[in-house]
Structures are given as structure tokens and as C-alpha cells.
Amino acid sequence: MPSNTQQLFLPFHRLAHLLSRAAKASWYPLHGIWYFLRHPEFYPIFVGRLLPLSIISFLVYLILFTFTFIPQFLLLLIFQGRAGALINTTVLVLGEGLVLIQALFEGLFVDECRVDIFDATLINHGFVDLVAPRRVLFLDAPNSVKMLGKPTSRAEYSPFSWTQIFELIVCLPLNLIPYVGTPAFIMITGSRVGKLSHYRWYKLRGVDKKTMKRDLHFKSWDYLWFGTVAMILQLIPVLSFFFLLTTSAAAAMWAAKMEELSRVRVGRPVTANDRAEQETDDPVYHDDPV
């Protein structure tokens, strides 16, 4: 039985644990930027596909800011102060642009690039065996990107979802609420972004929908903060496609960490030390026995 002192400090330990998990999850999208920049083999993917799309996204935002910013700003100015109206209108227009860009381009043109970045990052972390069953690999290639051949099964970084786009549209009016509306919009939509970030990992592992849903619920707190930071990056005009790729690398880095923890524990019981580590590290995943 825990002592009275331990019981007294238990809520503080839990709070510290939650804050630690939030900090780790939030850091991954930022670390992914540095990781991407340090791997020149990723650059051709960005230049070949996403540079033209970045130009298109620039035109979308240019049109929106030219014709919709001022009317929406004047409307918000009636209910909010100048500073609040300026911030919320900016996020509102960026969100509208994100809806248009995702509906028009992301599902058709970007997902394949994100899969390549995700798989190449896993290969860089030594998980060739995880990727190999799902696509042809040229093992004698000079780097992880050139190793990637055609997928042998359906390859999606995240499934194209009209529900996600509908959610973005429905949540956009939250930006009309002073002070709390914009953070709420980013966090609500970011939560779904976070949960979809490991869709490819679950498919590579052959995880069924029931297990995937359980794991996503278990790590919903972590995905909230990962997705919130990723969402903020995606709202940056022109660079949003670049950050889609860096976030894909970040998601793969996180998946590699969990995959490593999972494999260390396969074949032996979870000990007291494992449970203690689980309180400070990422949750442990176990493959269902075949």
C-alpha cells in the first residue's frame, strides 16, 4: 500500500508524466524538420513533386488573402478588438486555404511522397524488415530513398478522408470566438492529424482495425500534441507542403522508437522495471501472437 505521502504527491506525479509525454510528442514534428534537412536524399522528393504544389498553394493563399481577408476582418472587428480580429482572421483564412489545398491536391499528389519519406526513415532506423513485405526494395542502392521500389500492396500515408475535410470546415467558425477559438480549432483538428500520422505504421505491421483503434485511444494524449504542432506548421503558407514531408519523417522516427521498444520486450514477460520505464517512456506495444 502506498504511504500517505505517496498518495499526496500522486496527482503531481501524474501531471508531470502527462506534461512529459506532451513535450516529447510536441518535439517530434520540430525534430523532423532538422532530420529532413540532414538527409539530402529526401530533397529530390520535395523538389520533384512539392515545389510545383507549393507554387499552387501560394496562388490559393494569395487569392484568399486578397479577396476574403478584409471582409472577414471587418466582421470580427465588430465583436473583437483589433489585435484579436487580426490574429483570428489570419488563422481563419489560412484554415480556409488548407481546406482547399487538401481537397484539391493532398490526397492525389502528396500522399505517395509522404509514404516514401516514412518508409525511407524507417529504413534509416534499421527496420528494412518492416518495409520489405510491403514494397520492392533494392538493397544495394546507395541510400534509403533509392532503395524504394514499387509498393506490392496498397500504400497510403493516411487515407483520404472527406470526414477530415468536413471537420476542418465545421471547426473553422471556432476562430470567431475571442481568445480560445483559434487554439481550440488548431487542437481539435490537430488531434485527427496526429492519429492519422501512424496509419502507415499500423498497416506495415498488419494491425487490424480493432487493435489500431485501441492503440490510438491509448495514445490520444500524445497524438493531440503531435498533431497540434503539425497543424501549426501546415498552416504556414507556401511551406505547408514542405512541413507535410518533415512531419512524415517525424512520425516515422516516433514509430521507429516504439517499434524498437516493442521488439525489445517480445519473447519475455513485462517486468517491474519495464512498467517503471513505461511511466517515463512511450507506451509499450505487443504484437498479438499468431
Side-chain angles (χ1 to χ4, degrees), residues 261-262 264-278 284-286:
L261 291 174
S262 176
V264 165
R265 290 163 173 81
V266 169
R268 63 177 177 83
V270 178
T271 65
N273 289 334
D274 293 332
R275 294 190 181 94
E277 291 175 5
Q278 188 172 342
V284 179
Y285 289 87
H286 299 279

Side-chain angles (χ1 to χ4, degrees), residues 129-147:
D129 63 310
L130 189 63
V131 179
R134 303 288 179 169
R135 69 188 305 165
V136 175
L137 293 180
F138 304 103
L139 298 180
D140 57 346
N143 60 60
S144 58
V145 173
K146 291 186 177 181
M147 283 177 63

Side-chain angles (χ1 to χ4, degrees), residues 67-129:
F67 295 103
T68 69
F69 182 86
I70 293 178
Q72 293 180 94
F73 173 74
L74 294 176
L75 177 63
L76 291 182
L77 192 60
I78 299 174
F79 305 100
Q80 306 175 17
R82 181 181 295 272
L86 181 62
I87 294 173
N88 289 350
T89 304
T90 301
V91 175
L92 184 61
V93 175
L94 291 175
E96 292 164 353
L98 184 62
V99 171
L100 290 174
I101 291 169
Q102 286 190 341
L104 293 173
F105 308 120
E106 184 177 337
L108 297 176
F109 300 108
V110 181
D111 198 74
E112 180 183 345
C113 299
R114 303 188 78 183
V115 168
D116 288 346
I117 293 295
F118 192 91
D119 290 356
T121 303
L122 286 178
I123 291 173
N124 286 340
H125 283 77
F127 294 107
V128 176
D129 63 310

Side-chain angles (χ1 to χ4, degrees), residues 6 17 23 49 60 106 116 169 191 212 225 231:
Q6 289 176 322
H17 177 53
R49 180 65 62 85
V60 170
E106 184 177 337
D116 288 346
I169 296 173
S191 177
M212 185 190 305
W225 294 103
M231 187 67 183

Side-chain angles (χ1 to χ4, degrees), residues 79 139 169 182 214 253 280:
F79 305 100
L139 298 180
I169 296 173
T182 296
R214 184 192 66 216
M253 293 164 62
T280 56

Side-chain angles (χ1 to χ4, degrees), residues 20-29 221-223 225-227 229 254:
S20 174
R21 286 171 56 187
K24 288 180 180 179
S26 300
W27 172 244
Y28 271 110
W221 173 255
D222 309 77
Y223 285 126
W225 294 103
F226 180 94
V229 177
W254 189 9

